[in-house]
Amino acid sequence: MYNNIKIQLLDQTALLEIDRPKFLNALSRETLEEIEHAFQHDLLQNTAIRGVIITGAGEKAFVAGADIKEFENYSSEEGMALAKWGHGVMNRIYEFPKPVIAAINGYALGGGLELALACHIRIASDNAKVGLPEVSLGLIPGYGGTQRLADLAGRGKALEMIMSGEMIDAQDAQQWGLVNHVVSSDELISKSTDLLKKMYSKSSHAIAAAIKAINAGLDKQKDGYESEIAAFGDSFGTPDFREGVDAFLAKRKPNF
Ligand code: CO8
């Protein structure tokens, strides 16, 4: 049914694996559509599923970002439309009434880190590397990253990560408040399922209510999210975007 994701049931937990290892699980439009569909239908409606783990196929990456090859020729309007839709998908996960854990098994970059930030909890393997490198492409994060990173790590750390475009390792990510736990690769899924199992012994109604209440407290009328969408769209009209993406595709350093 899906071409880019796989869903496997581990008792009451759905393990959603993003399955494009050849492209480091980059989020193509079709991949994001499939994630959206899964959260709208299977994962939501199947009452046997009480929690979800999102992870990446292969040993190298959780998700290395949005698929750069797909948006290399986007106009500002197309960029803004994609960000608006992407925000909707991320919000669906952020507000999902069952617990969602990102099991970060390698690179979580750009849209990949934004996907992890939209989950309720993040657990990283000790080889994980996370970052928001969009400025290297002449862009800014476009799937909620400017807001959710600042929520978790604070303004100073968020600005450092976004303005430098540098990645940090799993230990620093834990210190910065981005990830809850760091474990070995072998333990990543078992640590995530163990944490979910503790939640399954509690009231699922109360858990859904807690997610809603915590999110409501952080909702700043969504103004920041709107300005991210507008600024993200504007970036597509700049020469820096052309240079950044051309450089990535030509495997050279950009010259801004
Ligand atoms: N998109 C498309 N393809 C990718 C991506 C990506 N984000 N990341 C990696 N790939 C592909 C590579 O092009 C390569 O394919 P090929 O073999 O055909 O050339 C394959 O995956 C393997 O990658 P590398 O050979 O580069 O592997 P390395 O181990 O040398 O490097 C890195 C790993 C450091 C992760 C490197 O691949 C990299 O820097 N990737 C790009 C990371 C990045 O910039 N991510 C941010 C993208 S922008 C974004 O996410 C914006 C989100 C906001 C919403 C977007 C809406 C439009």
Side-chain angles (χ1 to χ4, degrees), residues 62-154:
F62 174 72
V63 170
D67 192 318
I68 299 169
K69 288 160 197 154
E70 276 190 0
F71 63 66
E72 61 159 322
N73 290 315
Y74 269 21
S75 64
S76 293
E77 289 71 30
E78 287 170 310
M80 204 177 300
L82 186 62
K84 250 187 202 156
W85 168 60
H87 272 231
V89 179
M90 298 301 154
N91 281 338
R92 191 173 284 285
I93 298 170
Y94 187 73
E95 284 160 13
F96 200 63
K98 308 175 190 183
V100 185
I101 296 181
I104 305 176
N105 57 311
Y107 290 114
L109 301 175
L113 178 57
E114 295 178 285
L115 172 66
L117 292 172
C119 296
H120 302 133
I121 290 166
R122 284 145 296 284
I123 300 180
S125 60
D126 50 18
N127 66 336
K129 287 217 158 61
V130 310
L132 292 174
E134 283 88 344
V135 290
S136 312
L137 299 168
L139 290 175
I140 64 164
Y143 287 159
T146 61
Q147 307 303 299
R148 293 202 175 102
L149 181 61
D151 268 349
L152 280 176

Side-chain angles (χ1 to χ4, degrees), residues 68 71-72 74 76 133-140 163 231-249 252-256:
I68 299 169
F71 63 66
E72 61 159 322
Y74 269 21
S76 293
E134 283 88 344
V135 290
S136 312
L137 299 168
L139 290 175
I140 64 164
M163 294 194 299
F232 180 79
D234 286 347
S235 316
F236 280 86
T238 64
D240 279 357
F241 167 66
R242 194 62 274 148
E243 169 59 12
V245 169
D246 285 351
F248 176 79
L249 296 175
R252 64 170 171 80
K253 278 200 182 317
N255 182 14
F256 292 125

